[in-house]
Structures are given as C-alpha cells and as structure tokens.
C-alpha cells in the first residue's frame, strides 16, 4: 500500500516533521511504554518487515529497533554494509529496489546523509535516519521523553550543549526551535562550525546561542548535555583532548547549573573525557539510562508513525 505513495512518511530530520506529529510520536511512546510494562504490547506492525542497514557500529539503535519491530508483531533483517554487496560496489539504487521487494520500511545508519534520500528515492519505502553524519533525530525524541518524565515540559527550559559540534547537537538545535526551549552551545573557540550547523544556528537564533565560557553558558541551566568528543570515524588525538578538557562535564560544571538540573548523554560515553564517572553515575540527576531505555519506546512510535498507524 505504501509503495509508490507520494505521501510516504520518512523520519530523516526533526525539522521535516510538524510539531503536532512529533508530539503524537512522544505521546504514543509513553503509552507503548505502559503497555510493555503490563506485558501487553499491541500487534500494530504484524507482518511488517523492517530492514536495517548499518554502515557504522551500534548497540542501542540496533537492539532497540530490533526489539521494537518484533514486540509489535513484525520482523527485522539486519544488514551490516560490509557483509553485503554494497561493499563490493553494488549501487544503492539497485540495493534499494531489491529491498523494496522484501521489506516495508528501512532504517539506515550512514556516513553520508544523502544516502538516506537515495534509499527512499529508489525503494519508495519509508526511511528512518538511525544516525547520519548530519543528525540523529530518533535519539533526541527519546531524550525529550526522558526529560519530560523526570522534570515535565521542556518548553522555556534552558539547556546547555557542551563539547563537540556533531550530529546529535544538530538534532538538538532543531528540537530547540520546534519545542521552544533555549539551547546554549558551549565549545572551544578554535573549533570550526560546519556550514550546515552555522546556518541552522542562524535560522534559530531566537532559541540557540553560542558560548565559549562554560560558567556563562551553564549558569541557571536546567539540563547539561554532552556527547563523545570523537564521533565514529573521527580519530582521537591528545591535542584535541587537551582542547576539549575545559568542556568536560564534571561536578563543578553541574554545580553552576540549577539545583535540580539534569545531565544527558546519548551514549556511548568515554568516561574521563567528556564526562566524569561522578556525573554520569549520579542517580539523582543523570538521565542516561532512561534515555537509552526510551529509545525502544520511541522507535516503536516512529515505526508506527512512518507506517501511518498513528
Ligand atoms: N545513542 C546511540 O545511537 O547509540 P548506538 O550507537 O549504540 O546505537
Ligand atoms: N556523535 C556520536 C553519536 C553516537 C550515538 C557519533 O556519531 O559517533
């Protein structure tokens, strides 16, 4: 039914989807979390085949999508790019057309965002961005869900992003504009801001501000977020570690934020680099395990949304 439909729903970037639809996904994820607790998962995706293509490693995205589709009655097939003919030069266009004969929906983790669009173009199947070089939208919905559960609405809150300027940050910038909260981005002065991110920040300047001074950025904030300084594919160097060190989220940084501020990290973390043990393991304010858990509930809701079940 979905094949060839002009109205196919893709989940590529948060800014492609209107706020009420995103709110619907969040609301559905909360319900699905309750159903799972009661052992009453609905079979809304019975006989749906999800193919997942991974060009990069994954623990959370892989496990949560696989369980999500299975718990809702569907099936999943995982394709590690290196073990398919993609690694021997078969084109994305041919691969996509073949997958469309077997599957109903695709989830792709890619080194090049443009490939997501190419998969959709040739398969006509809904495509979910399971992390690209540009963005990581599934993660941010799970994170917002975790914040809502712990502290209520995100609207008008002050969030701080510390450290590297990466794909996860890009989706946070989009979220700040959509969900009306402010986001202070605090990073070393000598880091170059990519053209795409620069444009986003400029467009959303009502919500997003740039800082290099950690005290000024974190003062009175409701949440401090960080991520690895070395995203997949980026080589760690001692020189860069030194540059990033003042932006490490430690207890001193957390003490500048509001008393009830929380800490977030999408994981995987490098303890001792971007975050200290004391912060990530602080059960009073670290939301990292809820963020990871909510990936499962959010993926279910995203799959249902893409397949027009909600
Ligand atoms: N946060 C996240 O996407 O984790 P994985 O790389 O393990 O999927
Ligand atoms: N920024 C990280 C996120 C991992 C989930 C990366 O791209 O490696």
């Amino acid at each position: 039914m979905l094949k060839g439909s002009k109205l196919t729903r893709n989940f590529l970037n948060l800014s492609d989807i209107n706020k009420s639809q995103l709110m619907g996904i969040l609301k559905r994820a909360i319900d699905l979390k309750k159903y799972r607790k009661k052992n009453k998962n609905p079979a809304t995706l019975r006989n749906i085949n999800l193919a997942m293509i991974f060009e990069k490693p994954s623990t959370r995205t892989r496990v949560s999508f696989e369980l999500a589709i299975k718990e809702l009655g569907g099936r999943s097939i995982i394709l590690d790019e290196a073990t398919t003919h993609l690694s021997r030069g078969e084109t994305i266009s041919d691969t996509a057309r073949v997958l469309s004969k077997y599957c109903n929906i695709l989830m792709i983790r890619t080194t090049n965002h443009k490939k997501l669009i190419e998969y959709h173009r040739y398969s006509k199947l809904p495509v979910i961005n399971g992390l690209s070089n540009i963005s990581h939208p599934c993660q941010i919905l799970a994170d917002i869900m975790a914040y809502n559960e712990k502290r209520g609405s995100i609207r008008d809150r002050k969030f701080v992003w510390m450290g590297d300027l990466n794909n996860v940050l890009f989706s946070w910038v989009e979220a700040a504009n959509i969900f009306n909260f402010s986001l202070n981005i605090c990073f070393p002065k000598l880091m170059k801001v990519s053209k795409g991110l620069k444009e986003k920040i400029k467009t959303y300047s009502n919500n997003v501000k740039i800082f290099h001074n950690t005290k000024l950025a974190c003062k009175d904030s409701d949440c401090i977020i960080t991520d690895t300084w070395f995203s997949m594919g980026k080589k760690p160097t001692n020189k860069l570690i030194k540059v990033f060190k003042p932006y490490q989220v430690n207890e001193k940084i957390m003490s500048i934020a509001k008393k009830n501020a929380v800490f977030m990290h999408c994981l995987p973390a490098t303890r001792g680099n971007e975050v200290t043990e004391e912060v990530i393991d602080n059960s009073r304010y670290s939301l990292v395990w809820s963020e990871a858990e909510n990936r499962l509930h959010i993926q279910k809701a995203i799959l249902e949304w893409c397949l027009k079940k909600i």
Side-chain angles (χ1 to χ4, degrees), residues 58-61 109 136 139 266-267 295:
S58 168
T59 301
R60 282 142 286 265
T61 305
R109 170 164 284 198
H136 196 9
Q139 178 71 51
C266 65
L267 304 177
R295 295 294 304 279

Side-chain angles (χ1 to χ4, degrees), residues 156-169:
D156 296 330
R157 303 286 185 171
K158 183 167 151 186
F159 277 42
V160 182
W161 173 275
M162 292 274 274
D164 191 28
L165 306 171
N166 65 17
N167 43 6
V168 178
L169 168 63

